Amino acid sequence: MSPFTVLPVIAGGLWLVHAALGAAGHRAYRYSHWVLFGGLAVTALVFFLGAVHSSNSVPPEWKEDSLGGVFEFILALETMLVLLALALLEVIRVAVTQTIEDARTRADSQRSDPSNSL
């Protein structure tokens, strides 16, 4: 399989685990956040540094015809795009979760307070 398809699939699977931990209220939710988003940021940095190293290690006489570091740079770019997509998914998930919790709290407070039921 291509790394261009494997990276989003693995990151998406890890995000689903992260979202399930958050929905279940598990303590590991805080740690999975750092592992997922911190890991993607570090991975992008490693790919970018690998691209710079590959580009610098090309002999001067081959510089014009070399594609040294292009593959790593594209992987770094893809990793950053996956990170941004997962961050957007996380914002949407938190917003929906907060909306649901607020609605439940409001409904519970109206049911438990008899003075509001005129």
Side-chain angles (χ1 to χ4, degrees):
M1 290 183 77
S2 169
F4 298 109
T5 58
V6 170
L7 181 68
V9 168
I10 290 175
L14 288 175
W15 182 81
L16 287 175
V17 169
H18 170 70
L21 287 171
H26 199 275
R27 285 187 335 198
Y29 171 72
R30 289 178 286 159
Y31 306 113
S32 68
H33 171 81
W34 287 109
V35 168
L36 176 62
F37 293 103
L40 278 172
V42 169
T43 302
L45 180 66
V46 167
F47 284 148
F48 180 73
L49 292 176
V52 170
H53 178 69
S54 294
S55 177
N56 290 340
S57 65
V58 175
E61 58 271 7
W62 295 351
K63 280 285 188 190
E64 291 183 22
D65 295 331
S66 174
L67 293 176
V70 172
F71 181 72
E72 291 87 356
F73 180 74
I74 291 173
L75 278 175
L77 184 64
E78 180 196 16
T79 305
M80 289 306 296
L81 291 175
V82 168
L83 178 64
L84 290 173
L86 289 181
L88 178 66
L89 275 176
E90 184 68 12
V91 167
I92 291 169
R93 186 195 67 78
V94 168
V96 168
T97 303
Q98 281 299 118
T99 304
I100 292 170
E101 287 178 4
D102 290 346
R104 285 182 184 165
T105 304
R106 198 173 316 119
D108 287 343
S109 68
Q110 288 177 353
R111 265 188 259 141
S112 65
D113 191 9
S115 65
N116 286 340
S117 60
L118 291 175

